[in-house]
Amino acid sequence: MKKRVVLAYGGLAVALGLLGAAFLFAFRTQAIRFVGRMGQGINLGNTLDSTGLREYRPDADDLEYETYWGNPKADAETFLAMKEAGFGTVRIPVTWEDHLDESYHISETWMNRVQEVVDMALAADLYVILDLHHEEWLDLKVERSAQIEAEFVTVWEQIAARFRDYDERLLFESMNEPRLRDSEVEWTSGTEELRELVNRLNAAFVETVRATDGGNRTRYLLICPYAGNHETEAMEGLLVPDDRRLIVSIHMYTPYSFCQKEDGDVDWDTEETRERVTQAFSEMKDLFVKNGIPVMLTEFGCVDKGNLQARLSWINYYRKEAGRCGIPCIWWDCGAYALLDRESKTWKFPELVEALTNEAVN
């Protein structure tokens, strides 16, 4: 009789465990549906993420940074143009380091401007992703990992506190392409030690944001692998914290010579490239999406070389493969990648914008 009771309790434990797993998957499936509602996106690149001005002008004001890299100040019309074109999400890269004091406290002037830009984007009925971008202090030197984590937490505590009462249309992204700079592994999948440090920072980010309460208890948060890399080892090395409202952020500019090298290839369409892109999206799906963890391609793009048709076919192939795997894509928009003329609020390449925003692809 005792043996039967033990077996019964054992079966109950297994059943409860399966039930708990089912509930977790159901909650995570909600996250996938949420990401689906966000639609396709575009970055406000090289604006609030500009750096280095005070190296040349030590007395420069915080607000002068926004136009330092050649783009106009963000305004309401910028975001309305994005919305009217069919984009559902804008990612707003922000570099904070030139606006931090020695204790890593953010300038009130800069924080106010970031909030003003976020408010304009939300008023245009866009979802907004806010991140830490070109942070030199976030160089993954393992020997100073404790200091990096402390500084990282201090910065995110302030950002989370400022936006704690915003609704879920505002998302936070832990880091942009975290890596060991100027090293032989900078743009690779990293080492096991470096991937572990990224996981530690991602976990600290989630814990820090959740601890500020308010809307941050349920806000959707994005975490990334080492360098934001889409390669197998980098994605397999990403440890996703036990939290039902997380999204994995990946970057992919493949092939490099076509996408990023301005004097590189003007065409991309080879069997090898198609296989690489297809494999990367399939791995994102198998590692994350199938387990109820949504993925967003938060950066992709290809520079203009007078090769409109090649760029169009490249976008269409990315969108098709991403759509097959349930992954929205966010275009990197500035400089040679720019589709939006931010002065006139007109689109330079309407065909590319249509390909990027066409939800029929999904």
Side-chain angles (χ1 to χ4, degrees), residues 253-274:
Y253 297 87
T254 300
Y256 163 75
S257 183
F258 173 78
C259 293
Q260 295 183 299
K261 195 173 180 182
E262 293 190 37
D263 61 349
D265 295 335
V266 296
D267 202 358
W268 67 278
D269 199 356
T270 66
E271 184 177 351
E272 179 187 3
T273 296
R274 285 177 175 263

Side-chain angles (χ1 to χ4, degrees), residues 143-345:
E143 65 273 14
R144 60 181 299 271
S145 59
Q147 182 181 353
I148 292 171
E149 184 175 350
E151 294 162 352
F152 180 71
V153 167
T154 297
V155 171
W156 268 117
E157 281 176 339
Q158 296 169 79
I159 299 169
R162 174 59 70 101
F163 293 100
R164 69 186 298 276
D165 295 324
Y166 281 60
D167 65 28
E168 64 182 8
R169 292 179 303 142
L170 174 63
L171 299 85
F172 296 152
E173 183 178 359
S174 61
M175 301 170 279
N176 179 74
E177 299 173 350
R179 61 197 188 276
L180 181 59
R181 297 169 186 268
D182 301 318
S183 73
E184 62 182 9
V185 297
E186 180 170 11
W187 295 113
T188 69
S189 296
T191 64
E192 184 175 354
E193 192 174 33
L194 289 169
R195 292 190 292 271
E196 287 176 357
L197 178 51
V198 171
N199 288 333
R200 184 170 142 192
L201 291 172
N202 279 327
F205 161 70
V206 174
E207 182 179 353
T208 299
V209 173
R210 296 291 183 237
T212 58
D213 292 327
N216 291 330
R217 295 180 65 185
T218 56
R219 189 173 312 288
Y220 284 92
L221 307 177
L222 288 84
I223 61 171
C224 65
Y226 178 86
N229 200 314
H230 65 276
E231 293 176 0
T232 306
E233 192 173 21
M235 293 197 295
E236 287 182 342
L238 176 63
L239 181 63
V240 179
D242 186 12
D243 187 291
R244 70 189 191 191
R245 294 197 171 204
L246 297 183
I247 301 164
V248 173
S249 168
I250 302 288
H251 294 177
M252 185 162 63
Y253 297 87
T254 300
Y256 163 75
S257 183
F258 173 78
C259 293
Q260 295 183 299
K261 195 173 180 182
E262 293 190 37
D263 61 349
D265 295 335
V266 296
D267 202 358
W268 67 278
D269 199 356
T270 66
E271 184 177 351
E272 179 187 3
T273 296
R274 285 177 175 263
E275 288 176 354
R276 286 171 61 196
V277 172
T278 296
Q279 179 184 348
F281 280 118
S282 294
E283 288 180 351
M284 293 176 209
K285 181 178 181 179
D286 291 342
L287 288 169
F288 306 116
V289 179
K290 282 186 176 179
N291 293 304
I293 302 166
V295 175
M296 299 187 79
L297 201 66
T298 51
E299 280 189 29
F300 85 121
C302 51
V303 299
D304 175 34
K305 304 169 191 174
N307 55 342
L308 178 61
Q309 290 306 310
R311 296 176 83 198
L312 182 60
S313 69
W314 181 85
I315 289 171
N316 283 331
Y317 192 74
Y318 259 63
R319 285 291 321 281
K320 177 176 71 72
E321 291 302 297
R324 173 179 63 84
C325 299
I327 298 171
C329 300
I330 303 180
W331 180 265
W332 181 253
D333 198 67
C334 63
Y337 298 91
L339 304 181
L340 178 62
D341 183 325
R342 296 190 207 164
E343 294 285 359
S344 65
K345 315 304 187 227

Side-chain angles (χ1 to χ4, degrees), residues 98-149:
D98 287 340
H99 314 283
L100 303 173
D101 65 17
E102 293 180 356
S103 299
Y104 281 75
H105 293 133
I106 301 167
S107 153
E108 187 73 7
T109 300
W110 186 245
M111 182 72 89
N112 288 342
R113 177 55 183 164
V114 172
Q115 184 174 13
E116 185 177 27
V117 173
V118 167
D119 287 346
M120 289 189 291
L122 291 171
D125 196 27
L126 291 164
Y127 289 87
V128 176
I129 300 172
L130 195 62
D131 77 346
L132 307 190
H133 214 74
H134 304 295
E135 313 292 343
E136 293 285 346
W137 57 271
L138 201 50
D139 189 1
L140 299 185
K141 295 178 179 176
V142 175
E143 65 273 14
R144 60 181 299 271
S145 59
Q147 182 181 353
I148 292 171
E149 184 175 350

